[in-house]
Amino acid sequence: MASAQAGRISSVRDILSHPRGGPTVLRIVLGTHLRRLREASGITREAAGDAIRGSHAKISRLELGRVGAKERDIADLLTLYGVVDEEQREQFLALARQAGKPGWWQRYNDVLPSWFETLIGLEEAASMIRTYEVQFIPGLLQTPDYARACIRLGNPRATDRQVERRVELRMERQRLLTNAHAPKLWAVVDEAALRRPLGGTDAMRAQIRHLREMAERPNITLQIAPFRLGGLAAAGGPVTILRFLEPDLPDIVYLEQLNSALYLDKREDVEDYLAVMDSLCATAEPHGKTEEFLDGLRFLEGLKRSL
């Protein structure tokens, strides 16, 4: 058990030395380590909850990285799990402090639902983001005008200020594609999303031009799934799969709904969606033909003269 604890401390030390992804990912890593320590000690969630004057549900949320934790609670859990070495304890407490710091997206709390906040944190830590979109251009590739039209469509009761705040947030999210540790983005977009002039002709014209430019970036692969293919693998709607360099983070599948989202990390669930995504990528037009396909949209009314 001592050697296993040493391995966990080494992993914690590594992520503290090279943090990536902000508090969301750090909470998940901390929770994963605490769960492993608890299970290795043969302690139930109920007993762990009692040790921090809480419930087994609180321990479950903590281990899943859904909530932050007070240093006193982490210290009590470490004692319960037999972690008594001061250096080891300090590594965990330092991780808890880092996980408690706000991410840049916190300044958008007025328009940022908690279920979406998790995705932003995961995007920041991802080494690869694979996404399939049926109706819309992926958020990470949207222009401001196109994003504004999408946001108004999905939030019909939002005020003008709320809409603009959401647009700002979406543009801030996109910065991760151009930073020093930019993830690989691999997107498959259904032709329907390109033929629906969301936001009007001018907005769509600019959006298609932007897609062409982004597809030239070395870390972005963009494929189009044209109508002529007929049937496609049944993804059941838009899906995003995130992969991480951190060994303690499994692949995570993100499924967005109107007012909520699902995050799946069980191996069998992830493997099912990976198989679907692989099939979609194999079926769609290759990345090398994306520019040609987008150019072919020039016959659309209002686009011909500008592309």
Side-chain angles (χ1 to χ4, degrees), residues 8-21 26 29 87 90-91 94-95 98 181 246:
R8 295 186 186 101
I9 295 302
S10 177
S11 177
V12 171
R13 187 182 298 115
D14 288 344
I15 197 168
L16 285 172
S17 300
H18 302 90
R20 180 173 176 173
L26 296 181
V29 172
E87 181 181 357
E90 178 53 33
Q91 293 290 338
L95 182 56
Q98 290 278 4
H181 303 286
E246 169 56 48

Side-chain angles (χ1 to χ4, degrees), residues 18-204:
H18 302 90
R20 180 173 176 173
T24 301
V25 168
L26 296 181
R27 287 199 306 265
I28 294 174
V29 172
L30 176 62
T32 298
H33 284 291
L34 291 174
R35 175 181 56 78
R36 290 174 179 170
L37 286 170
R38 178 181 60 76
E39 291 174 347
S41 303
I43 295 172
T44 65
R45 286 193 179 93
E46 287 76 11
D50 290 341
I52 61 171
R53 302 151 296 279
S55 64
H56 72 279
K58 180 177 180 179
I59 295 297
S60 179
R61 291 193 298 271
L62 177 61
E63 292 180 350
L64 290 171
R66 303 278 173 79
V67 296
K70 298 178 181 177
E71 284 191 53
R72 185 181 74 167
D73 289 343
I74 299 300
D76 289 345
L77 289 174
L78 293 174
T79 299
L80 180 65
Y81 301 155
V83 181
V84 295
D85 181 83
E86 286 303 320
E87 181 181 357
Q88 293 181 350
R89 291 173 66 89
E90 178 53 33
Q91 293 290 338
F92 279 103
L93 293 174
L95 182 56
R97 286 193 292 271
Q98 290 278 4
K101 293 182 178 180
W104 63 261
W105 51 88
Q106 295 298 323
R107 63 179 182 270
Y108 293 99
N109 272 347
D110 55 323
V111 293
L112 180 62
S114 59
W115 54 266
F116 193 73
E117 177 183 343
T118 301
L119 174 66
I120 296 178
L122 293 175
E123 287 177 340
E124 292 279 318
S127 59
M128 175 174 281
I129 302 171
R130 301 180 68 182
T131 187
Y132 169 62
E133 279 287 350
V134 184
Q135 185 175 0
F136 303 110
I137 305 301
L140 290 174
L141 297 176
Q142 293 179 4
T143 62
D145 285 342
Y146 185 92
R148 189 172 293 107
C150 288
I151 290 166
R152 288 192 182 280
L153 189 63
N155 302 271
R157 295 184 295 174
T159 64
D160 289 344
R161 172 172 169 73
Q162 289 172 332
V163 169
E164 291 308 311
R165 290 281 288 165
R166 290 175 185 270
V167 172
E168 290 176 17
L169 171 60
R170 191 160 300 182
M171 297 303 105
E172 283 289 327
R173 278 176 61 205
Q174 295 179 4
R175 290 179 181 271
L176 69 90
L177 294 177
T178 57
N179 66 26
H181 303 286
K184 170 75 173 177
L185 175 63
W186 190 349
V188 179
V189 179
D190 195 277
E191 182 176 349
L194 300 172
R195 291 189 175 276
R196 182 175 291 108
L198 192 61
T201 301
D202 289 343
M204 202 64 199

